[in-house]
Amino acid sequence: MTVLRLKEIEKTYDSEFTLAPLELVIEEGEFFTLIGPSGCGKTTLLKVIAGLVTPDKGTIHHKGQDITEVVAERRHFAMMFQQPHLFPHMTVEQNVSFGLRMNKVPKTERTRRAKEALRQVGLESFAARYPSELSGGQQQRVSLARALVVEPELLLLDEPFSALDPQLKDEMQHLVKQLQKQLGITTVCVTHDQQEAFLLADRMAVMKEGKILQVGAPHTLYSHPDTRDVASFLGHTNVLAAQDAAALIPLTSLVRDNQLVIIPSEAIRLEETGTLGVIKHIQLQKDTALVTVALSKFEVVAKVWASRASNYKLGDQVFLNVEPNAIHLIPN
Amino acid sequence: MRSLRVPYSVLILLCFLFVIPFIPALLASLGGVWRFPLVIPEGWSFRAWEAVFRENSGTLSAIWTSLWIALCVTVINVLVSVPAAYALVRGNLRYRAAIEAILLAPIFVPALAVVMGIHLTFLRLGLTETVLGVVLVHLAPSMPYVIRAAMISFETMNRETEQAAQLLGAGPWSRFLFVILPHLRAGLVAGVTLSMLISLSQYSVTLLIGGGQVVTLPILLFPYISGGDTSIGSAYTLVFSAVALLLVISLDVALRGHYKKKGRSRV
Amino acid sequence: MSMWRRNKYALFVLPAFLLTITLFFGGLADGLLKSFGYFPAIGQDTLRLSFYQQALAERAFQDSLFLNLRVALLSTIFASILGITLALVLYAFQLRSKRPWLLRLLQLPLTIPHLAAGYFMVLVFSQSGLMARLAYAVGWIDAPAEFPVIVNDAFGWGMVVTYAWKEAPFVALLLYPVLARIGSGWYDTARIYGARPWNYISTILLPAIRPALLTASLIVFVYTLTAFEVPYLLGVTYPATLPVYAYQLYTSGNFEDRSQALAIFWLLTVVTLLFGWIAYRFYRKSYDRGWE
């Protein structure tokens, strides 16, 4: 079932398009991610959904009802921000039950539900503390509990993990994903972090300059990007003209000259026979290495196990082979 | 971004509320005759202003006396407060809290209580009816504000900037001149301004110690505003307010202007 | 090395410390001795409590005390309400960045000396003042005497009005920095969870400024309790506020009256130091609390 439908949404700041007219559909229970470089309008779009920003044009429907004119405080959504935004003069429990208090839920029920939400995020013993006594990660958990406790129609996440250090980030991502599935909350998340999007999203939308470029399941987008922009944003470095790619892989006559061939770096293998190239650069990562190989007219990047990369050095001659099923064609 | 919407009418009402008390003083000082029911005086006259700035009215000398006393008070305050504040913030002093409490206590105690106590002693020491005596009694009520401003300034100052200067080879004096002082200059505006204003507005304390011989602006104008000629009283009050206002503005420009231009002010 | 360091810092504090001790605490101690009737110059070198007893027993003292508390309390309440409004309006319009001249305008009363402020109020509120003239113009009164006595009145309204006008910007000045630290993130958050603007003000903004507000109002209360200039100008001969009453006693020239005057001021000092200490505690607390 469709939970949210955005039609022809448009927003302009200072005569510059922040959001070009765009369409978006969010389905019940899914984890939907908006991803794109900074300044692409993803946060503005999230705020439009939240009701914090009023669009210039277009409509928003929530479960069939037009909510375009409904203010944020009447939408019954919940949101986590980059900063926890806990109110420093309230205890953890008061912070968590804030939304219930605003909706005039009786005090005893408020307390009960706040305790339950705190239990879900593993902070039940912190109810009486003040935010200043908590660590950054704990504060963000309280912020999550505050969002969950109102049983929102829609959970909005505005890069809530980006200010956390790596280990905490992992923990929080898993916690959010687990609770989201368990409670079946429809979620829209903004991020610029691809890893995060692939980890969390059921579907995602890639945005650039206020437009949605493509929507789909993360791995579908990765293996079948529609445009060069989507491909390069998702990390494809080997986007080759058809005539260049022919040097690496036999292409059928169906491939026209004006098409581009995308070869995922992990689909290129370094072997004993194949197309000859010279190693120009090796970038070691924890478990894999990116090896840049120069061919006659162009360069490609191959992803190999880091342990194998140590066998090579700059200037070595190598032979390349490409996994034919992994390649993807897009129009130029 | 405007986060909460407040109608403009509230803003205008508030502005009006704070400006309205100046209006009758202006009218009265410029009005020729201002009999009761008239809201606007009948005809205009500079009679009151001429009286205020008449050659032997003593107004100009009272202004200078006031400013001179305020300046002496403030210079002494700054000279003793900056090192004290530095020591309180950075010094890791023993009995730090107690020393701070002692230095800041005069904020709350009425100056008159102290001056009545010290009056006879000053009389014996020959300090009454002297500018020095008046300067000395203006110190206690104003010094805590300078200390507090300097303390806030040191507290908000990034210690690493100082350490960076040290690593670059700056000795204690260079660090004070090139790192601490520029930061302090902007931070001290509030303290220096308050010190000047407090000294400028003292009436009872100046009267008691100055004995009518040290004529500051409030001493000069008091007889006019407590039942004297309304026009002259109004003109004097406006002069008094203008001196205070000009003082604040010029201190702000002189001390903060440099920082504002560069947009680096952190205060 | 470390000995020198510690001594160096002690040396830094010394001038300010000595000045405060001699000029402030010296004056207080001097006054304390005299309040016990210790005037060695005229041969009075025994300490007596009688001046405190005398002062407290006077009808004039009780009337003054009552007037004083009333004026200080009302002034504090009005100045606080007006100051909160001012701070909230400043916050809502974000005047600092957009309209700095407006912020200056609203801070105007801060600069104006108390005596001048008092006289302005005389011109506005006296029976022949601007308000009375306006009231006549719209036909509410027919003669100056019909206009209510607001300045130089026995109740003390003139002082209350002056203090409210003069101290409200001071209150706002202490509250505004606290509000200015609150980003739009808080408002967005509160709205998401259903807070209307009024809910936001009452559940978030007002509690957030409460410690600063307590500090500000305590300072205003202590100031209005002990200030001399405004009541001297705007009060009536009887009852006078305690500082004015004490000043009248002191300047009467009689040594016994002087001891009584100092006794009254000492009582006031004890009260103010107590309030001052409480205010300072609140100030530190609001200063130390962790904000985002």
Side-chain angles (χ1 to χ4, degrees), chain A residues 79-86 92 96 117-118 121-123 131 134-148 155-165 168-169 171-173 175-176 179 196, chain C residues 189 193 292:
Chain A
M79 190 158 174
M80 277 177 81
F81 298 82
Q82 199 167 349
Q83 297 299 322
H85 287 322
L86 299 182
V92 165
V96 171
L118 280 171
V121 300
L123 287 177
L134 267 54
S135 72
Q138 289 168 331
Q139 290 188 13
Q140 201 55 293
R141 277 166 187 256
V142 175
S143 162
L144 175 63
R146 175 171 66 182
L148 296 177
L155 176 62
L156 305 171
L157 308 175
D158 186 6
E159 309 208 22
F161 315 113
S162 61
L164 301 172
D165 27 326
L168 274 176
K169 191 182 205 166
E171 257 177 57
M172 273 303 281
Q173 284 167 342
L175 181 66
V176 167
L179 289 171
E196 186 172 299
Chain C
T189 310
Y193 293 110
E292 259 174 37

Side-chain angles (χ1 to χ4, degrees), chain B residues 124-141:
Chain B
R124 234 190 356 264
L125 296 174
L127 285 168
T128 48
E129 304 189 1
T130 67
V131 170
L132 177 63
V134 173
V135 168
L136 287 179
V137 292
H138 284 191
L139 282 178

Side-chain angles (χ1 to χ4, degrees), chain A residues 19-71:
Chain A
L19 295 179
L22 58 79
E23 313 283 320
L24 191 65
V25 171
I26 311 280
E27 301 294 338
E28 172 119 49
E30 73 175 338
F31 196 114
F32 192 92
T33 294
L34 294 167
I35 190 167
S38 58
C40 71
K42 55 191 191 297
T43 297
T44 307
L45 182 57
L46 193 75
K47 288 192 168 175
V48 166
I49 296 173
L52 295 172
V53 169
T54 318
D56 300 335
K57 282 186 190 145
T59 56
I60 309 167
H61 283 81
H62 176 244
K63 292 187 173 163
Q65 284 196 322
D66 187 347
I67 57 160
T68 320
E69 300 296 322
V70 177
V71 289

Side-chain angles (χ1 to χ4, degrees), chain B residues 1-8 10-11 14-15 17-25 27-28 34-39 76 80-81 83-84 86-88 90-94 96 99-106 108-110 112-122 124 136-137 139-140 143 147-148 151-152 155-156 159 197 200-205 207-208 218 221-222 224-226 228-231 233-234 237-238 240-241 244-245 248 252 256 260 267, chain C residues 6 9-10 12-13 15-17 19-28 30-31 34 39 41 82 85-86 88-89 91-96 98-99 102 104-106 108-117 119-121 123-124 127-134 136-137 141-144 164-165 168-169 184 187-188 197 200-201 205 219 222 226 228-229 232-233 243 246-247 250-251 255 258 261-262 265-266 268-269 272-273 275-277 279-280 283-284 287:
Chain B
M1 195 169 92
R2 219 167 101 189
S3 58
L4 263 180
R5 274 164 214 285
V6 173
Y8 269 90
V10 176
L11 188 69
L14 272 176
C15 287
L17 207 63
F18 285 101
V19 172
I20 199 172
F22 292 91
I23 296 168
L27 292 176
W34 199 17
R35 283 194 323 274
F36 168 68
L38 297 174
V39 175
I76 297 173
V80 303
S81 299
Y86 186 78
L88 282 173
R90 296 286 168 82
N92 199 14
L93 285 169
R94 222 179 296 174
R96 206 201 84 114
I99 294 172
E100 194 182 324
I102 286 173
L103 291 179
L104 298 183
F108 296 105
V109 175
L112 203 51
V114 177
V115 173
M116 273 186 190
I118 219 165
H119 180 207
L120 292 178
T121 309
F122 266 41
R124 234 190 356 264
L136 287 179
V137 292
L139 282 178
M143 195 191 294
I147 293 179
R148 200 52 220 150
M151 281 179 71
I152 291 175
E155 276 164 7
T156 57
R159 203 168 190 168
L197 278 181
L200 192 70
S201 350
Q202 291 299 332
Y203 169 72
S204 55
V205 164
L207 185 65
L208 206 59
L221 69 81
F222 193 83
Y224 293 100
I225 63 174
S226 62
D229 184 312
T230 310
S231 302
S234 299
T237 313
L238 287 173
F240 194 21
S241 307
L245 207 60
V248 172
D252 196 62
R256 216 201 303 251
K260 218 181 251 169
V267 184
Chain C
R6 189 152 265 179
Y9 285 122
F12 279 3
V13 186
F17 190 74
L19 276 178
T20 307
I21 290 291
T22 48
L23 291 173
F24 178 74
F25 288 96
L28 281 185
D30 211 348
K34 282 164 189 152
F39 286 101
L82 206 55
T85 316
L86 198 56
L88 286 176
V89 169
Y91 171 66
F93 282 90
Q94 305 273 326
L95 290 180
R96 217 168 224 213
K98 278 194 196 154
R99 301 174 192 81
L102 210 45
R104 294 276 162 92
L105 189 70
L106 295 176
L108 201 56
L110 270 180
T111 340
I112 306 305
H114 274 92
L115 272 183
Y119 192 58
F120 288 149
M121 294 305 159
L123 296 175
V124 175
Q127 286 185 311
S128 59
L130 188 68
M131 288 299 162
R133 288 162 198 258
L134 289 172
Y136 182 90
I141 61 169
D142 293 319
W165 184 76
S184 60
Y187 187 47
D188 285 350
Y200 179 59
I201 292 175
L205 291 187
I219 292 175
V222 167
T226 60
F228 173 81
E229 273 83 356
Y232 194 54
L233 184 67
Y247 183 80
Y250 189 83
T251 48
F255 277 96
R258 284 193 170 180
L262 284 160
F265 258 115
W266 249 91
L268 274 176
T269 301
T272 56
L273 279 176
F275 276 112
W277 181 71
Y280 190 69
Y283 177 76
R284 291 307 306 192
Y287 207 69

Side-chain angles (χ1 to χ4, degrees), chain C residues 180-196:
Chain C
R181 281 157 85 174
I182 299 174
S184 60
W186 281 21
Y187 187 47
D188 285 350
T189 310
R191 284 182 67 194
I192 290 285
Y193 293 110
R196 299 301 192 85

Side-chain angles (χ1 to χ4, degrees), chain C:
Chain C
M1 181 68 192
S2 115
M3 263 310 272
W4 153 242
R5 277 228 165 133
R6 189 152 265 179
N7 290 337
K8 180 182 80 176
Y9 285 122
L11 221 58
F12 279 3
V13 186
L14 205 60
F17 190 74
L18 285 180
L19 276 178
T20 307
I21 290 291
T22 48
L23 291 173
F24 178 74
F25 288 96
L28 281 185
D30 211 348
L32 184 66
L33 285 175
K34 282 164 189 152
S35 74
F36 291 123
Y38 183 78
F39 286 101
I42 57 160
Q44 294 281 2
D45 51 6
T46 48
L47 301 183
R48 282 169 294 161
L49 259 178
S50 56
F51 298 107
Y52 285 85
Q53 291 161 347
Q54 273 175 33
L56 290 172
E58 289 282 349
R59 180 68 202 272
F61 175 85
Q62 289 154 19
D63 288 344
S64 292
L65 179 67
F66 193 60
L67 170 72
N68 227 33
L69 286 175
R70 182 171 60 211
V71 168
L73 209 61
L74 286 174
S75 301
T76 308
I77 290 169
F78 286 126
S80 300
I81 293 173
L82 206 55
I84 294 169
T85 316
L86 198 56
L88 286 176
V89 169
L90 287 180
Y91 171 66
F93 282 90
Q94 305 273 326
L95 290 180
R96 217 168 224 213
S97 47
K98 278 194 196 154
R99 301 174 192 81
W101 58 270
L102 210 45
L103 184 71
R104 294 276 162 92
L105 189 70
L106 295 176
Q107 285 177 359
L108 201 56
L110 270 180
T111 340
I112 306 305
H114 274 92
L115 272 183
Y119 192 58
F120 288 149
M121 294 305 159
V122 170
L123 296 175
V124 175
F125 290 108
S126 73
Q127 286 185 311
S128 59
L130 188 68
M131 288 299 162
R133 288 162 198 258
L134 289 172
Y136 182 90
V138 294
W140 288 347
I141 61 169
D142 293 319
E146 288 174 34
F147 193 75
V149 184
I150 295 177
V151 290
N152 299 111
D153 62 321
F155 186 88
W157 280 119
M159 300 176 233
V160 172
V161 170
T162 308
Y163 284 135
W165 184 76
K166 181 86 175 76
E167 312 307 340
F170 169 77
V171 174
L173 197 71
L174 285 195
L175 300 186
Y176 185 70
V178 181
L179 289 174
R181 281 157 85 174
I182 299 174
S184 60
W186 281 21
Y187 187 47
D188 285 350
T189 310
R191 284 182 67 194
I192 290 285
Y193 293 110
R196 299 301 192 85
W198 171 246
N199 295 137
Y200 179 59
I201 292 175
S202 65
T203 59
I204 310 290
L205 291 187
L206 291 183
I209 60 175
R210 198 167 49 200
L213 177 65
L214 271 166
T215 311
S217 14
L218 274 170
I219 292 175
V220 171
F221 182 75
V222 167
Y223 183 83
T224 49
L225 197 65
T226 60
F228 173 81
E229 273 83 356
V230 170
Y232 194 54
L233 184 67
L234 295 180
V236 288
T237 330
Y238 189 94
T241 62
L242 282 175
V244 175
Y245 172 60
Y247 183 80
Q248 286 163 350
L249 280 175
Y250 189 83
T251 48
S252 75
N254 176 334
F255 277 96
E256 304 228 323
D257 284 350
R258 284 193 170 180
S259 291
Q260 255 196 55
L262 284 160
I264 291 170
F265 258 115
W266 249 91
L267 292 173
L268 274 176
T269 301
V270 171
V271 173
T272 56
L273 279 176
L274 189 71
F275 276 112
W277 181 71
I278 298 171
Y280 190 69
R281 288 291 300 268
F282 275 120
Y283 177 76
R284 291 307 306 192
K285 200 175 151 198
S286 67
Y287 207 69
D288 292 343
R289 185 177 291 188
W291 296 85
E292 259 174 37

